Amino acid sequence: MTRPFVPARIVGGSVIAERDPFAFESTAFYRGAEVFEEPLHARRVVVREPHEHTRSEQHFLDGFQDTVAQMLALAGTAAPQVLHVLGRDGRAYALVEEHVSGISMQAVLHELRERQHQLPIEVAVAIAAALVGLWRAPNERGFQVPLFLGPGEIFVTEAGSIRATPQLASDRARQVVGAVALAIDPQIAYVSPEQVEGGYGCESGMFTLGLLLFELLASAHPVADIHNRSMMETLSSLRNDDMPSILERRRVPPQLAAFLARATAREPRARFESWDELMVELDAVLGELPPCGQADILVAVPIRPTTPPALAVPDLGGWRTLPHEGHQPITVGLVPPVRPEVSVRPVLASDYIYGRRDGRPMLLQGDLLVDVRPVSAAEFARFALDTRRGSFVPRTGEAAATGVSFDDACAYAAWAGKRLPSESEWAMAIAALGAHRLGTGVVWEWTTTPERDGHVVRGGRWRNAPERPPHPDHRSYETRPAPDVGFRCVAHRERDGTFTAELVSEAR
């Protein structure tokens, strides 16, 4: 039974929301309503805001500004409509979008499997065609918007139209590679091979679309099996294996089989050159199939979609007297966020530069050399034995050294002729070199940036929700050693090729 809507606060203008989010990562999602006075009625909405634990951090607010711009860039009949952007002084603090209802394709596919049925081919292709705008429109506007989108985020409405509630990859506090969860996250099973390595391009969404169309046709994902495969096994298949042919699961027209094979090619350059080219090929496939409209989709869906009842304004009594956030409608320009280019090429042995004393592999970003992995317990043990430093009794092995104080981490770095990174150096290295290439997410990592009585740590498992996987955007601070905090070192390469541990100013 759906719990009743209980307003708790005014977000801005006539938009009200409940006090507690129904879902949250770095962005919190709230059930909300927009109240109209002439005539008096209300409509359901969804409110996105920076989570209360991140609102004081500038980089999270900047990330939310990017989220708003990316949501505005989404277009097409399937995309959720952005109704309002609320904030103050040109800064967005809340995004209000329509509430999308209907039956999810995840539920539809489950029911089809139970009945040992499949969607008509023309229905499956029509649903896929309705989703193309989610990736095509941002690309035409100069955006690359990585989306987490699986059948659970695709809906058939009561009228038979196709809608989606995609999540922005930048909005999700998760790390695809290095996640320790053993169960398949449904959305993770729809990432492209290059996304598994931390990259993204125009062709990445084509791969996701191909996976979705494959599942719509076969009623099963090509490689994911929630009962028999772990998430990491699925990611490994997505990255390293060629996708099976749809003809192994279902008889389809040759033109459709060829379209799917190209969309799900493991190498991005083997997919379509543009979304326009993909749409030309998809239109050709549709032209060879029986016509399919919204009524045909409703007939093919084994579960009747329903629309939630309208909100009754009297049930929202007292909303005008609720606390007001002081937010007003603002305009946010469609300016693509500027981010460092991320290389997704494989790491070759020749890419490594090795530390003179500790011999650890490092990668070069600009003039900054960054350890490829956090310092291991065995490496820290060698330092402790060499220096007879007694404040820490290290474990041995290849696991990351943890329980290391900030001072001991600095001492190791100095012994190795290096230093700890500042927070901005750490973040820029991860953005430019890729989280996978730098092995982030194993532990939180010390930085030299002060925070209260301690120092900032980055990239670990979210402290207030330990079930959530680590993510490079995660930020916390520590004042003493902790069992989930480790470190890595950096150095600068001088023009003569030598290393220096000297801290270089941020302006350099």
Side-chain angles (χ1 to χ4, degrees), residues 88-419:
R88 58 181 180 272
D89 301 325
R91 167 72 67 177
Y93 285 93
L95 181 144
V96 183
E97 62 190 76
E98 65 173 320
H99 175 269
V100 176
S101 62
I103 186 71
S104 76
M105 288 308 303
Q106 182 173 314
V108 168
L109 294 172
H110 175 77
E111 185 65 22
L112 288 170
R113 288 192 295 269
E114 291 292 311
R115 301 185 185 190
Q116 296 185 335
H117 290 172
Q118 294 174 316
L119 284 174
I121 293 174
E122 64 273 16
V123 171
V125 177
I127 292 174
L131 300 173
V132 169
L134 292 172
W135 294 279
R136 186 183 187 184
N139 187 67
E140 291 173 345
R141 298 179 180 188
F143 283 76
Q144 286 189 354
V145 184
L147 301 177
F148 281 115
L149 183 65
E153 290 73 49
I154 302 168
F155 296 87
V156 179
T157 71
E158 196 171 18
S161 61
I162 303 302
R163 304 300 308 280
T165 57
Q167 296 303 312
L168 305 176
S170 60
D171 217 23
R172 304 302 302 269
R174 67 175 74 234
Q175 181 172 330
V176 175
V177 176
V180 298
L182 296 179
I184 293 176
D185 182 317
Q187 295 172 323
I188 293 297
Y190 298 88
V191 299
S192 64
E194 58 272 20
Q195 283 176 279
V196 176
E197 289 198 343
Y200 186 86
C202 169
E203 305 86 358
S204 302
M206 299 174 187
F207 190 92
T208 297
L209 180 70
L211 289 184
L212 289 168
L213 178 52
F214 189 110
E215 184 163 0
L216 293 175
L217 289 164
S219 297
H221 190 284
V223 298
D225 182 348
I226 195 168
H227 299 294
N228 299 313
R229 307 195 80 187
S230 71
M231 185 181 77
M232 297 310 296
E233 288 174 319
T234 296
L235 289 173
S236 177
S237 289
L238 291 170
R239 173 62 188 92
N240 300 310
D241 301 338
D242 292 330
M243 290 297 102
S245 170
I246 186 62
L247 296 174
E248 297 176 16
R249 309 284 183 90
R250 184 175 184 178
R251 183 178 298 175
V252 301
Q255 192 170 12
L256 175 54
F259 174 88
L260 269 175
R262 190 170 176 188
T264 58
R266 186 149 48 96
E267 294 297 329
R269 62 178 176 269
R271 299 172 207 152
F272 300 95
E273 292 187 3
S274 66
W275 282 100
D276 288 341
E277 183 189 6
L278 178 145
M279 201 61 225
V280 168
E281 294 295 324
L282 192 56
D283 283 340
V285 171
L286 284 167
E288 298 296 320
L289 298 171
C292 179
Q294 293 180 193
D296 302 294
I297 293 175
L298 285 176
V299 170
V301 171
I303 309 171
R304 185 69 185 179
T306 59
T307 300
L311 289 168
V313 174
D315 294 342
L316 306 178
W319 69 273
R320 292 179 181 81
T321 63
L322 295 175
H324 196 288
E325 299 283 352
H327 298 159
Q328 298 297 326
I330 64 171
T331 300
V332 175
L334 279 176
V335 179
V338 177
R339 292 189 175 89
E341 293 185 3
V342 177
S343 170
V344 297
R345 60 184 176 84
V347 176
L348 306 176
S350 60
D351 291 332
Y352 293 139
I353 299 172
Y354 293 90
R356 288 192 306 271
R357 180 157 193 170
D358 60 1
R360 305 191 69 234
M362 307 180 80
L363 285 172
L364 186 64
Q365 166 56 31
D367 289 329
L368 186 70
L369 287 156
V370 185
D371 281 352
V372 172
R373 296 286 182 270
V375 173
S376 73
E379 290 164 337
F380 195 90
R382 182 160 67 95
F383 152 74
L385 290 171
D386 187 50
T387 60
R388 290 178 171 79
R389 192 174 182 90
S391 62
F392 174 71
V393 179
R395 297 177 291 109
T396 60
E398 295 307 310
T402 56
V404 180
S405 70
F406 176 80
D407 288 343
D408 280 353
C410 289
Y412 174 96
W415 169 82
K418 306 177 186 179
R419 60 179 175 80

